[in-house]
Amino acid sequence: MAEKRRSPCTMSLKAHAFSVEALIGAEKQQQQKKKRKRVEDGAVERVAPADGTDGASSLHLQQPGPPELEHSVCSILTSSPCEDTYGVVKPGNGPCRSPITPPAVPSQTTLVRVDLQGAELWKRFHEIGTEMIITKAGRRMFPAMRVKITGLDPHQQYYIAMDILPVDNKRYRYVYHSSKWMVAGNADSPVPPRVYIHPDSPASGETWMRQVISFDKLKLTNNELDDQGHIILHSMHKYQPRVHVIRKDCGEELSPVKPIPVVEGEKAFSFPETIFTTVTAYQNQQITRLKIDRNPFAKGFRDSGRNRMGLEALVESYAFWRPSLRTLTFEDIPGIPKQGSGPANSHAHMLPGSPCSSPAFHIGANSQLCGLTPADYSACGRSSLALNRYSTTLAETYSRLTNSTSESFAQRTPSYVGMSMNGNDNDTFGCPQTSLSMQISGMSPQLQYIMPSPTSNGFSSSQPHQSSYNAFRLHSPCALYGYNFSTSPKLASSPERVLSSQGSFLGSSPSGTMTDRQILPPVEGVHLLSSAGQQHFFDSRSLGGLTLPSSQVSAHMV
Amino acid sequence: MAEKRRSPCTMSLKAHAFSVEALIGAEKQQQQKKKRKRVEDGAVERVAPADGTDGASSLHLQQPGPPELEHSVCSILTSSPCEDTYGVVKPGNGPCRSPITPPAVPSQTTLVRVDLQGAELWKRFHEIGTEMIITKAGRRMFPAMRVKITGLDPHQQYYIAMDILPVDNKRYRYVYHSSKWMVAGNADSPVPPRVYIHPDSPASGETWMRQVISFDKLKLTNNELDDQGHIILHSMHKYQPRVHVIRKDCGEELSPVKPIPVVEGEKAFSFPETIFTTVTAYQNQQITRLKIDRNPFAKGFRDSGRNRMGLEALVESYAFWRPSLRTLTFEDIPGIPKQGSGPANSHAHMLPGSPCSSPAFHIGANSQLCGLTPADYSACGRSSLALNRYSTTLAETYSRLTNSTSESFAQRTPSYVGMSMNGNDNDTFGCPQTSLSMQISGMSPQLQYIMPSPTSNGFSSSQPHQSSYNAFRLHSPCALYGYNFSTSPKLASSPERVLSSQGSFLGSSPSGTMTDRQILPPVEGVHLLSSAGQQHFFDSRSLGGLTLPSSQVSAHMV
DNA sequence: TCCTTTCCACCTAGGTGAAAACCT
DNA sequence: AGGTTTTCACCTAGGTGGAAAGGA
């Protein structure tokens, strides 16, 4: 029981789990409570940064330049190099970083940089006023967050995670006659915050850097009792995604004694063009058009005029000369599903082909629609004490929005954040990007608490504030291999896969320690074969601890 | 360069990768070489255990009972309990198993048991003579290997892997007029052996035990130059899958000095009813019928007589009175795709409705078709030296088939294998199962070589025979959530999902150390939310190292 | 002749917005 | 009247065996 006493999280979890069904009845109460606070503050024509104090805390890490600057860089340097985390101060690192492995791997000087992929498409939505559907069952984002990360320690393990912050404490409504979003009151009460950990986590820096990291499997929901792990958001609110790069220091499972380490750098990256308003049905028809034009799954609603030979076009054309009946051979029928597979097909109920940039739908909005001013972007430079690097992030935001006692956390958990703007040299994959970069080195003790630990055997702790979560990655989807939603209009209808920069299964280098830390004689050659998309292989000759002399040494991570 | 010198695997890997394209031209040469060895040895009416010496090595771990015994248990006890792997003998375990964490977790006395799910379906195929299609692009197995594992240490991390062994060194051909498989010569030269590591690996024993472990994403190929990570097999050969339970001792990354530990238990599980013959096109029409009847993806080929109202039935009915043309309204057309969505539809090219057990197709074969006699099943009890537990497994099989110098490995790497039969009490999920169980405790040093290590930072080794592979799990599919191909005929057409025994996202306990080893104060409550199918969440309040006092503590693994 | 490869129709599984129904 | 839920047609993506073509 002494062990159980140290596990309040688990016990609370189970209690919550058992009460889920009981809570369903309370859902309406929650909604009523939510609407109770919905006060019409009066229409604000332009969603002004009146929430500056509230929203700025979640934006201080954003791209410092104006939204139009595609390739700006936000560099955040911390005062504590990672080497300080070695050895005695963080003994947990000792067993992991062996004295034989050269500790000179420059994880302490890494300038982590995160590039938003598909920034052009994000900007096109942003110019209109991005809307994201949220449903009870969960709805994907479109565009999905897709980033390219550079500057990681190739041999360090990282978790990549994403959460979504409220931009302000306002509720919005869309005024159709003016085609504008207006403040409709204060924000609803906060929902259970959730973080989407990229299913490939943890992985080596080399692995992360080799590919576009897509969050396309992430789903948004408005069901506060969601049990599917989706991110819970309020409808008609403004939010902004945020990407986290979290070092997986193996110390937290290994070190029985863990002192509170010094601050080692902030690791959250957000992009102003990814701000969106949550809706349950699209409000702005320009958004609808752009979604239909760009999302392959909405191809059935495209009506771009060309290749308009779908079923309804067929119906119309035939109906022209034979109104309701015609003689068909069955050779016609198998072709029907294929006809819709072209670049576009038509639907009579769709609005006639009008590009999303059509003046007829351009409502004169709103590069500032989301309440961000250039001043907000320049407000990311902060410095304070050295306890927690996430001071002005979610915890602070929530504490401010909820007026909870955690407000004080923001004060005693400042971040070492220094920012500098660099040029735009990050056109990886030929796609426009927005990039943020910062130095990351270690991790705060609090971060360690939330880091799942696949190596849980023999977990131990001599301090009551340490824990590890293991094997959290079950059922991980292949998120890295989702669509590459091209930001190029000419590629919009031909989605391409997000591929590793190396390409094929045997064509790319393996992960992390595979490259220069493995110590295997040829006869013991190990064959880590990880599928380009789906599978993970060893050379089975080595499974028995033996390999044939003719073993084909091939390993791959894609 | 000293570091690189220790990485022959990586360098060979890259060299191989770069030569893949060059090797494509050599594919035909390989095939020619393969056919060169194909000698018709004359038909053998019954595939006898003439391969006893050759094939027994890969079968010694099989179910000791006759195939008809559904729930037999194969217990293999080793002479070295896991406790011997603690501390000094395997210092790598020291840092992982903290002195604070109670080391009394009975990993050393665990009787691991592996139950084959869907054994009834496997047996139905086996009675006919299971065939598995292999294609260049890779083809899934049907039925897929699905197992339930019990007896793991809940807090120990494990890899679950699968490889496929040749049953003998023969090549087969199917004689249509006698509906029998006959030996057609010696086996082709061995192909690059590969192992499919379950994409959820590594995970805690608790996590593995909570759910059915499905290998449905595994693919078989006959392309020896496959770069997708599929398992490469020869066509017209007999194979048998094998499941591996591999402890993830974090010691291999942590211990700079690793002596060769003592044997700690065999960990491979195979089931005789899963033997199959590889084909590029089905030979036995009974197999075809059973596949079509049971595989949901082949529903389009079902012709079971009932609900036969698909398009072709429509064609036939209309063609009866209007041979080649008929007048259709367009109201017919949208319904066409839906018509095929029922329980079954018909196809004119299919044979008329005849259940798979129809005498018209029952060719009088062959419960012993796969060359296994009851004597084979009783031959699993072996004992020998204590150096390697995989002695009679792949390495030995390959060495015998290839006459390579690794033959000696089999002699100096015997296994501690003791077997005992238990009753049939493993009807988990209400499905018939076949189970194998054995004690596993530690791992051999050779096993450690092939164990990917997600905690690679600071990997080190003072011995040249140690290595770790990290982050091999990228792009892992959600294999645990594939179809549950029911073995019950009445459920065959209604596939059900393989669910965790706990159910919903918030309704099940978290993994491994979440349950009783985490040490989190409520204010630091960590919220590891891992989606039931797709996603992995933290409570985002904790991402900043801070959680609100009102934090909802919920964690989940399935 | 025997086996392999390729293409295809037909499925499963699930992601879209539209539209209607529903709710408050 | 405004927001939410449900259902639906239409997609993407990919797993089936059949049939025909290809190949040795």
Side-chain angles (χ1 to χ4, degrees):
Chain A
M1 264 326 279
E3 194 171 286
K4 284 246 174 164
R5 203 180 50 76
R6 289 191 242 134
S7 307
C9 201
T10 297
M11 291 188 289
S12 298
L13 167 102
K14 290 184 174 176
H16 179 93
F18 292 152
S19 63
V20 165
E21 291 171 354
L23 283 174
I24 290 176
E27 191 167 7
K28 292 192 176 183
Q29 293 182 358
Q30 286 192 9
Q31 291 178 351
Q32 287 174 350
K33 183 190 71 177
K34 181 173 64 181
K35 297 211 171 177
R36 188 190 59 210
K37 293 189 61 178
R38 189 176 308 163
V39 182
E40 295 278 341
D41 290 351
V44 176
E45 275 301 316
R46 175 159 240 141
V47 178
D51 52 290
T53 48
D54 287 319
S57 63
S58 64
L59 301 173
H60 73 288
L61 287 173
Q62 290 172 350
Q63 180 181 347
E68 292 75 17
L69 181 59
E70 270 186 359
H71 307 295
S72 68
V73 174
C74 174
S75 305
I76 298 177
L77 301 175
T78 70
S79 61
S80 64
C82 178
E83 285 161 326
D84 293 345
T85 70
Y86 264 88
V88 183
V89 177
K90 292 184 69 178
N93 279 334
C96 249
R97 286 210 173 267
S98 136
I100 295 202
T101 301
V105 176
S107 62
Q108 70 280 7
T109 60
T110 301
L111 183 69
V112 177
R113 169 171 167 166
V114 177
D115 294 329
L116 176 67
Q117 305 290 296
E120 180 185 303
L121 182 57
W122 274 106
K123 287 187 176 66
R124 287 197 54 181
F125 277 100
H126 185 62
E127 291 167 359
I128 304 168
T130 311
E131 300 175 20
M132 293 289 175
I133 294 272
I134 59 176
T135 68
K136 197 174 180 180
R139 199 77 149 190
R140 289 186 179 180
M141 291 171 63
F142 185 85
M145 283 289 285
R146 290 167 56 247
V147 297
K148 194 95 171 54
I149 302 183
T150 55
L152 300 175
D153 178 354
H155 310 299
Q156 170 69 51
Q157 296 291 112
Y158 296 92
Y159 296 95
I160 307 296
M162 183 175 136
D163 60 0
I164 298 179
L165 298 177
V167 169
D168 52 36
N169 61 350
K170 298 301 181 187
R171 193 178 199 281
Y172 292 84
R173 69 182 181 93
Y174 186 75
V175 181
Y176 287 87
H177 66 79
S178 63
S179 301
K180 285 181 172 56
W181 284 97
M182 299 179 181
V183 171
N186 288 324
D188 297 338
S189 56
V191 291
R194 288 185 176 172
V195 174
Y196 176 88
I197 300 173
H198 194 284
D200 290 348
S201 302
S204 67
E206 178 184 357
T207 303
W208 289 121
M209 290 187 292
R210 194 165 46 224
Q211 54 208 327
V212 171
I213 302 165
S214 173
F215 293 89
D216 58 346
K217 298 294 191 299
L218 181 150
K219 283 187 176 179
L220 312 179
T221 185
N222 57 346
N223 180 12
E224 299 189 17
L225 301 176
D226 171 78
D227 60 354
Q228 304 299 306
H230 303 145
I231 289 186
I232 303 171
L233 300 177
H234 279 134
S235 184
M236 315 304 278
H237 287 59
K238 288 193 183 299
Y239 292 96
Q240 181 174 28
R242 193 173 56 161
V243 175
H244 297 266
V245 178
I246 305 170
R247 267 181 65 134
K248 181 191 179 300
D249 283 324
C250 61
E252 72 270 20
E253 314 107 10
L254 303 174
S255 167
V257 179
K258 208 181 304 237
I260 296 176
V262 292
V263 166
E264 289 153 322
E266 172 60 272
K267 286 172 289 193
F269 302 85
S270 57
F271 306 89
E273 60 266 55
T274 61
I275 288 176
F276 59 86
T277 305
T278 48
V279 294
T280 56
Y282 289 124
Q283 308 293 306
N284 188 336
Q285 292 187 34
Q286 288 181 94
I287 292 295
T288 307
R289 296 306 308 170
L290 197 49
K291 297 250 183 180
I292 289 173
D293 286 343
R294 296 306 192 94
N295 190 333
F297 290 109
K299 188 179 280 185
F301 299 99
R302 285 182 197 168
D303 186 38
S304 52
R306 66 185 185 282
N307 294 49
R308 193 167 172 269
M309 287 307 291
L311 175 60
E312 296 188 22
L314 199 68
V315 171
E316 289 177 12
S317 61
Y318 278 113
F320 179 75
W321 56 271
R322 185 168 296 191
S324 63
L325 293 175
R326 87 169 177 96
T327 300
L328 291 178
T329 70
F330 283 99
E331 293 175 354
D332 294 329
I333 298 173
I336 287 170
K338 286 294 173 188
Q339 286 172 342
S341 300
N345 59 357
S346 71
H347 288 259
H349 61 276
M350 293 304 296
L351 291 167
S354 59
C356 60
S357 60
S358 165
F361 285 93
H362 200 275
I363 327 176
N366 42 39
S367 61
Q368 296 297 324
L369 192 63
C370 294
L372 293 177
T373 66
D376 290 319
Y377 302 119
S378 60
C380 59
R382 291 191 181 187
S383 67
S384 50
L385 298 178
L387 197 55
N388 192 289
R389 288 156 289 156
Y390 288 84
S391 60
T392 55
T393 55
L394 237 191
E396 188 181 20
T397 301
Y398 270 95
S399 68
R400 291 183 178 182
L401 292 178
T402 60
N403 294 321
S404 73
T405 59
S406 61
E407 172 70 84
S408 60
F409 291 157
Q411 295 177 352
R412 59 176 174 87
T413 58
S415 65
Y416 279 121
V417 175
M419 305 193 80
S420 66
M421 291 181 56
N422 295 342
N424 46 350
D425 55 345
N426 51 345
D427 209 337
T428 313
F429 286 53
C431 295
Q433 305 166 355
T434 299
S435 69
L436 296 176
S437 64
M438 59 176 58
Q439 180 191 18
I440 72 170
S441 51
M443 56 188 293
S444 71
Q446 290 87 349
L447 276 177
Q448 292 168 355
Y449 298 155
I450 63 168
M451 289 206 336
S453 156
T455 60
S456 73
N457 56 333
F459 162 76
S460 69
S461 172
S462 65
Q463 290 190 345
H465 287 246
Q466 293 169 355
S467 176
S468 71
Y469 297 95
N470 304 292
F472 68 104
R473 263 204 304 163
L474 282 192
H475 323 303
S476 53
C478 308
L480 290 191
Y481 287 87
Y483 273 117
N484 181 351
F485 298 107
S486 172
T487 60
S488 168
K490 57 182 174 292
L491 295 177
S493 295
S494 60
E496 53 198 49
R497 289 196 169 276
V498 180
L499 293 177
S500 151
S501 59
Q502 300 294 334
S504 66
F505 172 74
L506 291 171
S508 66
S509 61
S511 66
T513 57
M514 281 291 280
T515 50
D516 58 359
R517 289 185 182 181
Q518 61 189 359
I519 306 151
L520 284 178
V523 69
E524 301 277 4
V526 173
H527 304 224
L528 171 56
L529 304 179
S530 187
S531 156
Q534 301 278 340
Q535 301 182 345
H536 306 284
F537 280 82
F538 287 141
D539 185 329
S540 62
R541 283 174 294 208
S542 63
L543 244 197
L546 298 171
T547 55
L548 299 179
S550 63
S551 63
Q552 164 193 345
V553 181
S554 57
H556 180 75
M557 184 48 57
V558 175
Chain B
M1 264 326 278
E3 194 171 287
K4 286 248 174 166
R5 203 179 51 76
R6 290 191 241 131
S7 309
C9 201
T10 296
M11 290 188 289
S12 299
L13 166 103
K14 290 184 175 176
H16 179 94
F18 292 152
S19 62
V20 164
E21 290 172 355
L23 283 174
I24 290 176
E27 190 167 7
K28 292 191 175 182
Q29 293 182 358
Q30 287 195 7
Q31 291 178 351
Q32 287 174 352
K33 184 189 72 176
K34 181 173 64 180
K35 297 212 171 178
R36 186 189 62 210
K37 294 187 62 177
R38 189 176 307 164
V39 181
E40 294 277 342
D41 291 351
V44 176
E45 275 301 315
R46 176 160 241 142
V47 178
D51 53 290
T53 49
D54 286 321
S57 64
S58 65
L59 301 173
H60 73 287
L61 288 173
Q62 290 172 351
Q63 180 181 346
E68 292 75 18
L69 183 57
E70 270 186 358
H71 307 295
S72 68
V73 174
C74 176
S75 304
I76 299 177
L77 302 176
T78 69
S79 62
S80 62
C82 178
E83 284 162 327
D84 293 346
T85 70
Y86 265 87
V88 183
V89 177
K90 292 185 69 180
N93 279 335
C96 248
R97 287 209 173 269
S98 134
I100 295 205
T101 301
V105 176
S107 63
Q108 71 280 8
T109 60
T110 301
L111 183 69
V112 177
R113 168 172 166 167
V114 177
D115 294 329
L116 176 67
Q117 305 290 295
E120 180 184 303
L121 182 57
W122 274 106
K123 286 186 175 66
R124 287 195 56 180
F125 277 100
H126 185 60
E127 291 166 0
I128 304 169
T130 311
E131 301 175 20
M132 293 290 175
I133 295 273
I134 58 176
T135 68
K136 198 173 180 180
R139 198 75 149 192
R140 288 187 179 180
M141 291 173 62
F142 186 85
M145 284 288 284
R146 289 167 57 248
V147 297
K148 194 93 171 56
I149 302 183
T150 54
L152 300 175
D153 178 353
H155 310 299
Q156 170 69 52
Q157 297 291 112
Y158 297 92
Y159 297 95
I160 307 296
M162 184 176 135
D163 60 0
I164 298 179
L165 298 177
V167 169
D168 52 35
N169 60 351
K170 298 300 180 190
R171 195 179 199 283
Y172 292 86
R173 69 184 181 92
Y174 187 74
V175 181
Y176 287 88
H177 65 78
S178 64
S179 301
K180 284 182 174 55
W181 286 97
M182 298 179 183
V183 171
N186 288 324
D188 296 337
S189 57
V191 290
R194 288 185 178 173
V195 173
Y196 176 87
I197 300 174
H198 194 283
D200 290 348
S201 302
S204 67
E206 178 185 356
T207 303
W208 289 121
M209 291 187 291
R210 195 165 47 223
Q211 55 210 325
V212 171
I213 302 164
S214 175
F215 292 90
D216 58 346
K217 298 294 190 301
L218 181 150
K219 283 186 175 179
L220 312 179
T221 185
N222 58 348
N223 180 11
E224 299 188 18
L225 301 177
D226 171 79
D227 60 354
Q228 303 299 305
H230 303 144
I231 289 186
I232 304 171
L233 301 177
H234 279 135
S235 184
M236 314 305 276
H237 287 58
K238 287 193 184 300
Y239 292 96
Q240 183 174 27
R242 192 173 57 160
V243 175
H244 296 265
V245 178
I246 306 170
R247 267 182 64 134
K248 182 190 178 299
D249 283 324
C250 61
E252 72 270 20
E253 312 109 9
L254 303 174
S255 169
V257 181
K258 207 180 303 240
I260 295 177
V262 293
V263 167
E264 290 153 320
E266 173 59 273
K267 284 172 289 195
F269 302 85
S270 56
F271 306 90
E273 60 266 53
T274 61
I275 287 175
F276 60 85
T277 305
T278 48
V279 295
T280 55
Y282 288 125
Q283 308 294 305
N284 188 335
Q285 291 187 35
Q286 288 182 93
I287 293 295
T288 307
R289 295 305 309 172
L290 198 49
K291 298 250 184 179
I292 288 173
D293 286 344
R294 296 306 192 92
N295 190 333
F297 289 110
K299 188 178 281 183
F301 298 99
R302 284 181 197 168
D303 187 38
S304 52
R306 67 186 184 282
N307 294 49
R308 192 167 172 271
M309 285 307 290
L311 174 60
E312 297 190 22
L314 201 66
V315 171
E316 288 177 12
S317 61
Y318 279 112
F320 180 75
W321 54 273
R322 187 169 296 191
S324 63
L325 293 176
R326 87 169 177 94
T327 300
L328 291 178
T329 71
F330 283 100
E331 292 175 354
D332 295 330
I333 298 174
I336 287 169
K338 284 294 173 188
Q339 287 173 344
S341 300
N345 59 357
S346 69
H347 289 258
H349 62 275
M350 294 302 297
L351 293 166
S354 60
C356 60
S357 60
S358 162
F361 286 90
H362 200 276
I363 327 178
N366 44 39
S367 62
Q368 296 296 326
L369 193 61
C370 293
L372 293 176
T373 66
D376 291 320
Y377 302 118
S378 61
C380 59
R382 290 190 182 186
S383 67
S384 51
L385 299 180
L387 195 56
N388 192 287
R389 287 156 291 154
Y390 287 83
S391 61
T392 54
T393 56
L394 238 190
E396 187 181 21
T397 301
Y398 270 96
S399 67
R400 290 183 177 181
L401 292 179
T402 59
N403 294 320
S404 72
T405 59
S406 62
E407 171 69 81
S408 61
F409 290 159
Q411 295 177 352
R412 59 179 173 85
T413 60
S415 66
Y416 279 123
V417 175
M419 307 192 79
S420 68
M421 293 178 56
N422 295 343
N424 45 351
D425 55 345
N426 49 347
D427 209 338
T428 312
F429 286 55
C431 293
Q433 305 166 356
T434 299
S435 68
L436 297 175
S437 64
M438 60 176 56
Q439 181 190 19
I440 70 171
S441 51
M443 55 187 296
S444 71
Q446 290 86 350
L447 275 177
Q448 291 168 353
Y449 297 158
I450 62 168
M451 288 204 336
S453 156
T455 60
S456 72
N457 57 333
F459 162 76
S460 69
S461 171
S462 65
Q463 291 190 345
H465 286 246
Q466 295 169 355
S467 177
S468 71
Y469 297 95
N470 304 293
F472 69 103
R473 265 203 300 163
L474 279 194
H475 323 303
S476 53
C478 307
L480 289 189
Y481 286 87
Y483 272 120
N484 179 352
F485 297 110
S486 171
T487 60
S488 167
K490 59 182 175 290
L491 295 178
S493 296
S494 60
E496 53 196 49
R497 289 197 170 275
V498 179
L499 292 176
S500 151
S501 58
Q502 301 293 335
S504 67
F505 170 75
L506 290 171
S508 65
S509 61
S511 65
T513 57
M514 280 291 280
T515 50
D516 59 0
R517 289 186 183 181
Q518 61 187 1
I519 307 151
L520 284 178
V523 70
E524 300 279 4
V526 173
H527 304 223
L528 170 56
L529 303 180
S530 188
S531 157
Q534 301 279 342
Q535 302 181 343
H536 306 284
F537 281 81
F538 288 141
D539 185 327
S540 61
R541 283 174 294 209
S542 63
L543 244 198
L546 298 171
T547 56
L548 298 180
S550 64
S551 63
Q552 164 193 343
V553 181
S554 56
H556 181 73
M557 185 42 57
V558 168

